[in-house]
């Protein structure tokens, strides 16, 4: 039940992950073996749901990479099922208001913080004997402490209330979606727009004041460096399909270069 990602963050380490969108347990396992700190299973835009996600979570744990899930929405079942199949944290997209986040906390955290429903499942460790000798309140406390609940700031409404949202007990951090947020701010895709940079800094400041974790998505290595310099704790770099495309393009360019060199000889 120990959340290695949270442990690294508390130790002040910068952590790195990537989105898994393709939908394949072996690929999740490979992502883990490369040394990423976390893999973010994307059930908002990805083609898979709970049963498949459970397999990917198991694959991640085999490879010792922390599995987070971006749920498809903030409805109770969307949150509960991914937690029950073993997600070590959830990212909630399209958040707009403090009230919405309060409802998310109620559904995602056990008592006394929330009202998450109790259902024994191999994914949430209740059937493994890991909690042998502990009463239910102790088990709830461990789960609440080790499971990350991270709303995604990608709307102007969320940004406008970010200080209040971050301050809520039960919110472990904020994930910034810069592309959707740039659209919401009227500068679509302009990741270095002063408006977007100011918004990113506002999120960082809010997280630091409340000692919460700050996550952000980066599309390029240049962006990774910029966001590290800004102070973000956790970087989600690109996604598996885009990384594969980039690797193939680079490889093919090199191989075709060999051919052109041979033709000139």
């Amino acid at each position: 039940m120990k959340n290695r990602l949270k442990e690294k963050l508390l130790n002040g380490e910068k952590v790195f992950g990537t989105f898994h969108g393709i939908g394949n347990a072996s690929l999740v396992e490979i992502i883990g073996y490369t040394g990423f700190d976390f893999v973010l299973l994307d059930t908002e835009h990805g083609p898979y749901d709970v049963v498949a996600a459970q397999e990917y979570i198991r694959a991640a744990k085999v490879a010792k990479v922390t599995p987070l899930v971006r749920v498809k929405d903030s409805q109770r079942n969307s949150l509960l099922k991914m937690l029950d199949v073993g997600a070590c944290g959830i990212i909630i997209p399209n958040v707009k208001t403090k009230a919405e986040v309060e409802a998310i906390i109620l559904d995602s955290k056990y008592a006394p913080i929330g009202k998450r429903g109790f259902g024994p499942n191999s994914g949430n460790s209740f059937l493994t004997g890991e909690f042998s000798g502990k009463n239910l309140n102790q088990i709830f406390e461990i789960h609440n402490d080790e499971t990350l609940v991270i709303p995604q700031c990608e709307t102007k409404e969320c940004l406008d209330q970010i200080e209040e949202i971050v301050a809520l007990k039960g919110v472990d951090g904020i994930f910034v979606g810069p592309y959707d947020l740039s659209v919401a701010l009227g500068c679509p895709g302009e990741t270095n727009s002063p408006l977007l940079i100011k918004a990113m800094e506002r999120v960082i400041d809010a997280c630091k004041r409340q000692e919460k974790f700050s996550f952000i998505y980066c599309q390029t290595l240049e962006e990774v460096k910029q966001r590290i310099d800004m102070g973000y704790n956790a970087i989600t770099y690109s996604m598996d399909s885009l990384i594969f495309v980039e690797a193939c393009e680079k490889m093919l360019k090199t191989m075709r270069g060999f051919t052109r060199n041979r033709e000139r000889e």
Side-chain angles (χ1 to χ4, degrees):
M1 190 57 214
K2 188 69 176 177
N3 190 324
R4 288 189 293 269
L5 176 64
K6 182 178 180 180
E7 187 175 34
K8 290 175 183 178
L9 288 165
L10 289 174
N11 287 335
E13 297 181 41
K14 297 291 184 183
V15 295
F16 302 93
T18 189
F19 271 110
H20 174 66
I22 290 175
N24 181 276
S26 294
L27 182 52
V28 171
E29 194 173 346
I30 289 167
I31 288 170
Y33 291 143
T34 65
F36 275 112
D37 300 295
F38 65 95
V39 59
L40 186 39
L41 308 177
D42 190 4
T43 65
E44 182 193 18
H45 293 294
Y48 52 88
D49 208 342
V50 183
V51 174
Q54 181 169 347
E55 295 302 315
Y56 308 156
I57 288 167
R58 287 172 176 161
K61 290 179 178 179
V62 165
K64 299 189 184 330
V65 58
T66 301
L68 306 179
V69 175
R70 178 159 71 177
V71 295
K72 61 184 179 181
D73 54 45
S74 60
Q75 296 301 305
R76 179 179 181 274
N77 279 351
S78 299
L79 307 169
L80 185 65
K81 285 181 178 293
M82 289 302 176
L83 291 170
D84 278 349
V85 297
C88 294
I90 51 173
I91 312 293
I92 305 94
N94 200 38
V95 167
K96 292 185 172 67
T97 67
K98 176 186 174 184
E100 183 181 355
V101 177
E102 288 172 333
I104 288 167
I105 293 167
L106 285 178
D107 290 334
S108 302
K109 296 283 189 179
Y110 289 115
I113 298 172
K115 296 181 179 179
R116 177 181 167 186
F118 170 63
N121 185 292
S122 59
N124 61 26
S125 304
F126 288 125
L127 302 182
T128 64
E130 185 177 352
F131 297 115
S132 176
K134 292 182 172 59
N135 64 41
L136 205 54
N137 284 331
Q138 291 173 313
I139 294 171
F140 285 174
E141 183 179 358
I142 293 169
H143 269 277
N144 283 343
D145 192 49
E146 297 296 334
T147 303
L148 300 173
V149 174
I150 305 173
Q152 188 163 342
C153 182
E154 57 181 350
T155 67
K156 189 175 185 305
E157 296 92 333
C158 181
L159 181 65
D160 289 341
Q161 299 182 48
I162 195 64
E163 290 81 11
E164 298 172 68
I165 289 171
V166 174
L168 291 170
K169 182 177 177 60
V171 168
D172 297 286
I174 295 292
F175 185 104
V176 175
Y179 286 88
D180 282 330
L181 187 55
S182 72
V183 173
L185 295 175
C187 51
E190 299 175 23
T191 55
N192 287 316
S193 163
L195 276 175
L196 185 60
I197 296 297
K198 185 178 179 181
M200 293 175 182
E201 291 173 344
R202 181 175 174 180
V203 174
I204 279 283
D205 290 342
C207 289
K208 284 181 177 178
R209 280 196 296 273
Q210 298 295 331
E211 298 184 333
K212 304 291 179 75
F213 305 128
S214 54
F215 287 68
I216 195 166
Y217 174 80
C218 296
Q219 184 59 55
T220 68
L221 293 175
E222 181 183 5
E223 287 178 9
V224 170
K225 184 179 185 308
Q226 291 170 345
R227 306 317 170 219
I228 289 173
D229 291 343
M230 288 176 72
Y232 276 87
N233 305 125
I235 303 295
T236 305
Y237 173 71
S238 193
M239 62 187 301
D240 48 14
S241 57
L242 296 178
I243 292 172
F244 181 71
V245 167
E246 184 180 348
C248 287
E249 288 177 342
K250 182 178 180 180
M251 176 186 63
L252 280 168
K253 183 178 179 180
T254 301
M255 290 193 294
R256 295 191 197 285
F258 295 153
T259 302
R260 286 191 291 272
N261 291 339
R262 183 179 179 85
E263 290 172 349
R264 282 196 291 268
E265 291 175 357

